[in-house]
């Protein structure tokens, strides 16, 4: 009966998987023990086992590597689009702001209202840095005490500081967490701003063209197509629910038949196979969800897109698989077999409530006819 399963179009997950995107100006690949993002990651993940942090430099490259995934393998070639895609899949975008690079990231993420609400800036207090790192345009645009509509969440904290001498004429302050720990005050502020509420799935039938609420996903029906427009939160919820379906998990766990080539080539084949399985099932489940409500539309093709331009379905699902790999939800063995970890099975279990297996003979007849 599983092959006839479909999605609920509305549902609530009480303790969801939450992805936190951590941004900063420098990542020390050789010694990560004192890296501020690693320390931040350890704290956030200690608050709730369902919290998972993503540091791009820790997991991905623009070239082949035995230990890291290659963006270009899934047709992602611009760091701007990668950061946008990561932020769309994240609960919070936390930026350790200290440089021109992180200022550019703040500008990038604040350009979309739905992302603006996710951004949290951690900035050294003026008494530590000896200057306010949020000045001029940034102050007026994102930290304005008089016009607060577009303000971002800002936490000012007290790090340690040392001066790095790039040359005789150039010195730059570098900041660190004393004793490689967050201060108690910073912990309290962070904890209060980490999402802890349930997540809602809401895919509505919309019979009009001026529907622009990006927090609600929608579908519409015309003479030829069923058109589904998803926000990324809902895409992630639907994909996670597929990992609770036994026959889908079995397919994902089965290694690709072609085991020729290098480890990297075989790993890539395993990832692409997983993407294909998720994409085909996402389309099939959504199609049957809509047929369950509108049986007369079963012969129409289904199109899936997003509220955001420039990202297609294949890229979105591929990157979602990358995120699961980077957050240790999925592993790939030395025989290039995808492993769904026990932790991921436990976290994703609650998403099974989004899956409906029909018992109504009339509905099965509609799917089969």
């Amino acid at each position: 009966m599983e092959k006839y399963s479909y999605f609920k179009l509305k549902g609530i997950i009480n303790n969801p998987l939450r992805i936190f995107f951590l941004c900063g100006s420098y990542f020390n690949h050789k010694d990560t023990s004192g890296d501020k993002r690693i320390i931040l990651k350890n704290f956030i993940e200690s608050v709730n086992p369902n919290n998972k942090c993503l540091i791009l430099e820790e997991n991905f490259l623009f070239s082949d590597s035995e230990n890291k995934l290659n963006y270009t393998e899934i047709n992602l070639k611009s760091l701007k689009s990668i950061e946008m895609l990561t932020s769309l899949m994240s609960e919070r975008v936390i930026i350790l702001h200290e440089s021109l690079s992180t200022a550019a990231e703040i500008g990038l993420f604040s350009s979309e209202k739905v992302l603006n609400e996710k951004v949290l800036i951690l900035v050294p207090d003026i008494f530590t840095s000896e200057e306010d790192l949020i000045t001029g345009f940034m102050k007026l645009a994102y930290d304005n005490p008089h016009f607060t509509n577009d303000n971002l969440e800002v936490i000012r904290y007290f790090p340690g500081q040392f001066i790095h001498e790039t040359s005789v004429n150039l010195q730059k302050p570098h900041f660190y967490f004393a004793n490689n720990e967050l201060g108690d005050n910073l912990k309290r502020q962070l904890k209060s701003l980490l999402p802890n509420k349930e997540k809602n799935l809401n895919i509505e039938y919309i019979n009009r063209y001026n529907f622009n609420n990006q927090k609600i996903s929608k579908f519409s029906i015309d003479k030829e197509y069923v058109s589904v427009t998803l926000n990324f939160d809902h895409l992630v919820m639907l994909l996670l629910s597929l990992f609770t379906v036994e026959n889908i998990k079995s397919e994902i766990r089965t290694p690709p038949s072609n085991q020729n080539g290098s480890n990297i080539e075989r790993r890539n084949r395993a990832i692409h196979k997983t993407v294909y399985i998720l994409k085909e099932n996402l389309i099939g489940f959504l199609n049957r969800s809509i047929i369950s409500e509108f049986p007369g539309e079963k012969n129409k093709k289904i199109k899936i897109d997003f509220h955001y331009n420039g990202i297609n379905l294949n890229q979105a699902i591929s990157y979602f698989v990358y995120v699961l790999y980077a957050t240790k939800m999925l592993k790939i063995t030395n025989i290039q077999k995808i492993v769904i970890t026990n932790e991921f099975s436990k976290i994703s279990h609650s998403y099974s409530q989004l899956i409906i297996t029909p018992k109504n003979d009339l509905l099965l007849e509609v799917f089969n006819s």
Side-chain angles (χ1 to χ4, degrees):
M1 296 291 288
E2 277 187 332
K3 69 176 182 177
Y4 300 109
S5 297
Y6 57 97
F7 296 124
K8 283 184 183 178
L9 297 180
K10 296 189 178 184
I12 297 173
I13 305 299
N14 290 319
N15 192 18
L17 175 69
R18 299 188 189 279
I19 306 297
F20 294 87
F21 180 22
L22 307 185
C23 304
S25 56
Y26 177 72
F27 185 77
N28 187 341
H29 295 273
K30 294 181 180 179
D31 180 14
T32 61
S33 60
D35 186 273
K36 292 194 296 300
R37 279 184 282 173
I38 293 293
I39 297 166
L40 187 59
K41 172 182 176 179
N42 292 339
F43 170 73
I44 291 171
E45 294 185 351
S46 73
V47 171
N48 185 328
N50 286 23
N51 291 348
K52 300 298 172 187
C53 294
L54 185 59
I55 300 170
L56 297 186
E57 300 94 318
E58 192 179 23
N59 300 285
F60 310 127
L61 290 171
F62 281 103
S63 58
D64 284 337
S65 166
E66 290 279 351
N67 302 316
K68 298 182 182 182
L69 299 182
N70 185 348
Y71 292 120
T72 59
E73 182 63 29
I74 56 173
N75 201 32
L76 291 174
K77 299 176 181 177
S78 160
L79 188 56
K80 175 184 174 181
S81 62
I82 291 162
E83 294 217 348
M84 287 292 285
L85 189 48
T86 311
S87 61
L88 289 167
M89 291 190 181
S90 301
E91 297 290 317
R92 272 287 198 186
V93 179
I94 302 178
I95 303 173
L96 287 154
H97 172 51
E98 300 171 7
S99 68
L100 291 175
S101 294
T102 50
E105 286 180 309
I106 292 168
L108 174 67
F109 298 134
S110 65
S111 63
E112 287 271 359
K113 180 67 175 175
V114 71
L115 299 183
N116 185 295
E117 296 173 354
K118 296 182 178 186
V119 174
L120 171 59
I121 303 171
L122 271 59
V123 62
D125 188 271
I126 186 171
F127 295 107
T128 303
S129 62
E130 299 181 15
E131 63 174 328
D132 192 346
L133 295 175
I134 299 182
T135 58
F137 173 82
M138 291 180 68
K139 182 73 176 177
L140 293 173
Y142 310 132
D143 194 29
N144 192 318
H146 305 294
F147 302 98
T148 60
N149 285 348
D150 295 317
N151 278 0
L152 305 176
E153 293 278 5
V154 177
I155 296 178
R156 298 178 185 275
Y157 71 103
F158 297 89
Q161 179 187 175
F162 68 91
I163 301 300
H164 176 72
E165 293 189 2
T166 305
S167 68
V168 175
N169 298 315
L170 182 60
Q171 298 179 335
K172 291 184 177 181
H174 283 216
F175 303 98
Y176 62 93
F177 293 132
N179 301 317
N180 290 341
E181 291 183 359
L182 305 184
D184 289 340
N185 187 48
L186 178 54
K187 285 181 181 178
R188 281 193 296 272
Q189 291 186 79
L190 267 174
K191 201 169 182 178
S192 71
L193 294 171
L194 297 180
N196 57 14
K197 295 181 179 178
E198 72 276 355
K199 298 189 79 166
N200 296 297
L201 174 70
N202 188 2
I203 305 176
E204 295 189 358
Y205 171 61
I206 303 297
N207 191 22
R208 57 185 184 273
Y209 296 98
N210 61 346
F211 182 82
N212 294 314
N213 187 344
Q214 294 187 352
K215 292 186 178 180
I216 298 176
S217 296
K218 62 179 180 176
F219 69 94
S220 58
I221 301 170
D222 60 27
K223 292 181 179 180
E224 189 175 356
Y225 291 101
V226 173
S227 298
V228 181
T229 303
L230 296 173
N231 74 30
F232 272 82
D233 215 23
H234 295 159
L235 172 70
V236 169
M237 292 176 76
L238 296 177
L239 291 173
L240 287 171
S241 72
L242 293 177
F243 280 92
T244 69
V245 180
E246 287 302 325
N247 70 314
I248 295 175
K249 289 196 290 185
S250 179
E251 283 187 76
I252 289 171
R253 290 184 180 119
T254 303
S257 56
N258 182 357
Q259 287 292 306
N260 296 323
S262 67
N263 287 343
I264 292 172
E265 289 169 334
R266 288 184 289 134
R267 181 187 68 192
N268 290 339
R269 277 196 291 271
I271 290 172
H272 286 303
K273 177 175 176 284
T274 302
V275 171
Y276 175 81
I277 292 166
L278 292 175
K279 181 179 177 181
E280 290 299 299
N281 280 285
L282 177 74
I283 292 170
F285 273 60
L286 273 173
N287 191 39
R288 289 190 293 275
S289 298
I290 292 164
I291 291 171
S292 72
E293 295 196 6
F294 299 89
E297 311 297 340
K298 69 183 182 66
N299 294 321
K300 290 185 177 174
K301 297 177 182 177
I302 188 169
K303 295 191 302 185
I304 301 173
D305 59 16
F306 305 104
H307 286 295
Y308 320 97
N309 295 324
I311 298 170
N312 62 47
L313 183 61
N314 206 67
Q315 286 176 321
I317 296 176
S318 297
Y319 194 65
F320 170 77
V321 173
Y322 268 38
V323 169
L324 292 181
Y325 179 84
T327 54
K328 309 297 188 291
M329 298 294 96
L330 297 180
K331 294 182 180 179
I332 303 179
T333 68
N334 57 1
I335 59 169
Q336 310 313 313
K337 175 182 176 181
I338 297 285
V339 173
I340 300 168
T341 65
N342 291 335
E343 182 184 19
F344 185 34
S345 293
K346 182 179 179 181
I347 290 174
S348 62
H349 176 72
S350 61
Y351 289 84
S352 63
Q353 65 180 284
L354 301 181
I355 303 292
I356 299 173
T357 300
K359 298 177 181 177
N360 185 317
D361 290 341
L362 291 176
L363 190 53
L364 292 177
E365 189 176 321
V366 169
F367 290 153
N368 279 316
S369 62

